[in-house]
Every structure is written in C-alpha cells, then in structure tokens.
Amino acid sequence: MAYFKKLKADLAAAASGGIITPEQADKVWQDAYARRPMAGFKAVHFIAAAAGLFIALGFILVAAHNWDKLGAMLKMGVFLLLLAGVAEAALRLDEKPAAAIPLETLWFFMPILGIGLYAQIFNLSGDPVKPYLAWAALSAPLALLSRRPLAASLNSILLFTVLFWGTLNQASLLSLTSGYGRPPQPLWHWAAALAVLAAGAALYPGRKTGLPLGAACVWTFIMLAADTALKTGSGTLLLMAGMSLSVLWLAWGGPADELRTGLPLKIWLGSVYMMTFFWHHTAGARELFHGATWAGAVAAWVLFAGALLTIALRGQRLLPGGKQADMISKLLLAVSVLSSFLLFGADDVQLKVLAALANFILIAYGAACIVGGSENADEKAINRGVLVITLTAITRFVDLFGGLLASGEAFIVTGLAFAALAYFINKGRKALIEAAKK
C-alpha cells in the first residue's frame, strides 16, 4: 500500500505543478489501483467464496450418505458431469462475482474430491504428491481464465506447499533428500521441483514478484541446509547463503525505486538480528567444506556473488531520502553479506566482532530511518527506526546484564528502567513526528 500512497502523492504534486490535469491524475491513480492483486475484492466476495466451500462440503456429505447405493462408473460419471457443469457455469457467469466466486471456489476444490473418489473406488496407493499435482493441473485453467485473483492465489499456494512438502518427503517424485541411508535422487527430480516452483510463480496473480521470489529464496535455503545434493554442511557457508538470499529477495522483491517496507525488509532485519547472538557462541569446527557437497559450496558462492553484484548495480531504497540514503542502504546491505566471512576459521574474538557488526547495522539502519523520516515527513520511517533501535538496545541489555537479575529487587529496578526508557523514547518519537510535520 505504501507504493499507492506514494503514487497518489506524486500524481497530486504533478497536477498541482501543472504537468497534468487533476482529472488525469485521478484517472491514472484509479487505473493503477484497480490493477492490484486484490482489486475490487470486498467482504461480500469472501462470503461468496465461503459459500462455494460449503457447497463443496455439502456434496461430500450427500455422496457419503448415499455411497453404497452408487456404482463405481456412476460415481465417476456423476462427478465428471458436475465438474464440467461447474466450470461452464463459472465461465458463463464470470462478470457476476456473486455467482462466479462460489462456482470458482467449488471448481478449485472439486478436483481433489474427484481424485480421492477415484483412489477409493479403485483402491489406489502410491506417491503422496501426485494427487496434489493433479489437483493443481486440473485447477490451472481456472487460475488462467478467471479475472479475479482468488483462483490464481489458491493455485500458487497449493503449488508452493507441494514443493516444500514434496522435496522433503522421502517417498515423493519431488524428493530431493539424498541422505538418511538412501541413494542420491535422480536429476529429473530437481527438474520436476523447479517446474513446480516456476508454475507457482507464473500463476501468482498481479504479476508481482515479491512473494514468489520469497518462496524461491526460502526453498533454496532449505535445500542448502537439508541433506540434499546442495547441502552446504558448513555453518559459515549457510550463513553466507542465507544473508545473500535475504538481500536478493529484498532487492528484487519490487521496483528498484520503491521504498522497501514489507516482508523482505523484515526478513533481512531478522537475519541481521540473529547474527547479533553470535556474541554468546564459542569458536568450533567451521572448516570451509566440512561435510559439504561441491554443488552446495558452489551454490553458496554464486548466491554471494549475485548479492554483491545486485547491491552494486541495482538501486537499493531501504531508507527515505535521496541518493545519500540509497548509498547508506547499499553500504548496510554489503556489510551484512560480507560479515559472514568472519566465520571462516573463527575464534571467539571474531564471533564477537561479527555480533558487534550486526548490532552496528541495526543501529545505523534505525538512526538513518529516524533522520530520513524527519527530513521527509515520513512518520512510519521514524517509528520503524525507533522500534529497531529500541529492540536492539533491550536485547543487548538482557544479554549483558541478564545474569544479574537474581532477585526480585533487580527485576523491579529493571522494570522501572524499561518503563522510563519507554516513556522517553515515546516522547522523543512524538517530538520528531511533530517536527517533521512542520
């Protein structure tokens, strides 16, 4: 939503400057806003979707009640006729959401009912992933033909769920786990998994890249951490790959000129925050290729190189402001990726330096948000900066002095200190917001 607010403000500024007329500005904004993924979706539409789900459940109950009275071919024939009828009705009533949405919901869930029916009639068993892939294939036409994002969203979620579950399932055609006493999986398993990933991204509504890219990044990280052909087997390589993936998601999850405020930013900040806890770790065996596959090591280094090239060549808008804010954003991202090098042959001192660097990144980001928010009258940026600094300060206080909380009096004193801190932080935050509005 931040993008649409900024677009509306920019269009209003262009209209007030005489570049375009107010009518043109309003028309451009309305057109852009209408093309968002959930455009036109109202509460009544969610109720209609629920109606479709209840109708599907009703068919199940009716069929279950009369199950023994129907023959096998009659059961399948009736089901196929119902599926064809629902599909035809959904397409014919596409312009009437009150009728089309329940029908589309019913169409989406009917394939899995039919697959279960077929398996029960003929006593089928086997690969647990195949029915769900068939479900996705049978409901794909709905996702492609419907003008509403509901079916495409459900189909993408289904495919991503199958991808995560199937690749870690030992009895699946998508299984990629090669250890646990089992031989390495054939190469075509990887091709099938990548095809499911690509299909989920292609069907995602609105041609948005943020969530599909996030799913791909999380899945890749799991493949690097699990016992697959891409297993890194090294905490150092895994940290480097994880930080690189969070940066890639943050950088490519939206337009280069759009200020990042959503889930990718939170994932990157969370990754940096987790590095601050290396303060408590002690040095252990962290050989570069200890237990790693060569493919995993190469993948980690490729992700690392891709993250650095992305930081260097693509605009990074983590902070409100102009070119100076973007340069600070690039610097913070680069430090977060490069800091993983401190784990190579790390001793206790290097681990503490890594934690200190992570704290520096968080504090620097929070301070830059406060300064940039004050200069650009961005209240959310000020609040975000205050939140990051406060969370970092409280966590480090607990790290350093938590061992001293051995009595009730110490807890009371600490609670009073936190209360005073909250009061002064909130007072300062309000003063900055009021100053930014003037």
Side-chain angles (χ1 to χ4, degrees), residues 79 83 107-116 118-119 124 127-142 155 158-159 162 165 173-174 196 203:
F79 170 78
L83 178 60
W107 181 1
F108 177 79
F109 285 103
M110 281 190 75
I112 194 62
L113 302 180
I115 292 167
Y118 187 83
L124 301 181
D127 193 321
V129 163
K130 286 182 179 179
Y132 296 97
L133 290 177
W135 179 9
L138 290 172
S139 59
L142 169 64
N155 215 295
L158 172 60
L159 286 168
V162 170
W165 172 51
L173 63 83
L174 298 178
V196 172
L203 289 175

Side-chain angles (χ1 to χ4, degrees), residues 100-434:
I101 291 176
L103 290 169
E104 289 178 1
T105 307
L106 185 58
W107 181 1
F108 177 79
F109 285 103
M110 281 190 75
I112 194 62
L113 302 180
I115 292 167
L117 175 65
Y118 187 83
Q120 187 175 30
I121 292 172
F122 298 102
N123 296 317
L124 301 181
S125 62
D127 193 321
V129 163
K130 286 182 179 179
Y132 296 97
L133 290 177
W135 179 9
L138 290 172
S139 59
L142 169 64
L144 295 172
L145 295 173
S146 175
R147 68 175 63 189
R148 281 164 291 277
L150 176 63
S153 298
L154 290 174
N155 215 295
S156 291
I157 292 170
L158 172 60
L159 286 168
F160 289 138
T161 303
V162 170
L163 174 70
F164 280 78
W165 172 51
T167 51
L168 296 176
N169 189 300
Q170 297 183 10
S172 152
L173 63 83
L174 298 178
S175 177
L176 299 178
T177 53
S178 56
Y180 314 112
R182 302 170 66 246
Q185 297 294 343
L187 189 61
W188 70 265
H189 277 216
W190 285 93
L194 292 174
V196 172
L197 175 62
L203 289 175
Y204 188 76
R207 300 297 181 264
K208 299 285 186 178
T209 60
L211 288 179
L213 177 61
C217 289
V218 173
W219 177 74
T220 302
F221 182 78
I222 292 174
M223 294 300 100
L224 292 169
D227 197 1
T228 69
L230 289 182
K231 178 183 178 182
T232 59
S234 164
T236 303
L237 289 177
L238 195 59
L239 174 65
M240 184 172 70
M243 287 306 308
S244 300
L245 285 167
S246 68
V247 167
L248 289 170
W249 185 9
L250 180 61
W252 296 99
D257 58 347
E258 180 180 305
L259 183 64
R260 301 293 190 266
T261 58
L263 181 60
L265 175 64
K266 295 178 177 66
I267 294 296
W268 176 72
L269 288 172
S271 301
V272 176
Y273 179 73
M274 293 303 296
M275 285 199 299
T276 65
F277 291 96
F278 276 101
W279 184 272
H280 300 289
H281 290 197
T282 56
R286 293 185 176 87
E287 293 85 355
L288 181 56
F289 298 110
H290 180 67
T293 64
W294 282 99
V298 169
W301 282 106
V302 167
L303 291 171
F304 172 75
L308 290 183
L309 285 173
T310 295
I311 294 170
L313 302 178
R314 183 174 171 82
Q316 306 297 332
R317 290 215 61 209
L318 308 188
L319 303 165
K323 292 184 177 180
Q324 184 178 3
D326 291 346
M327 289 303 298
I328 294 174
S329 300
K330 286 176 175 285
L331 177 62
L332 294 177
L333 290 173
V335 172
S336 71
V337 175
L338 292 170
S339 60
S340 58
F341 271 86
L342 288 169
L343 279 186
F344 289 133
D347 55 23
D348 291 348
V349 174
Q350 286 176 253
L351 290 174
K352 287 178 170 50
V353 171
L354 174 60
L357 269 177
N359 281 291
F360 166 78
I361 294 171
L362 292 174
I363 294 172
Y365 171 80
C369 275
I370 294 172
V371 173
S374 301
E375 292 176 348
N376 294 274
D378 190 336
E379 181 179 341
K380 290 184 177 179
I382 295 173
N383 290 333
R384 187 162 55 249
V386 170
L387 177 62
V388 170
I389 292 177
T390 303
L391 179 61
T392 304
I394 291 175
T395 307
R396 299 290 74 80
F397 175 85
V398 174
D399 285 345
L400 295 173
F401 302 106
L404 301 178
L405 300 178
S407 66
E409 291 81 0
F411 274 98
I412 292 173
V413 171
T414 303
L416 291 173
F418 281 163
L421 178 65
Y423 171 78
F424 286 110
I425 286 176
N426 189 53
K427 189 174 181 179
R429 180 185 64 85
K430 288 183 177 180
L432 287 170
I433 292 173
E434 290 300 322

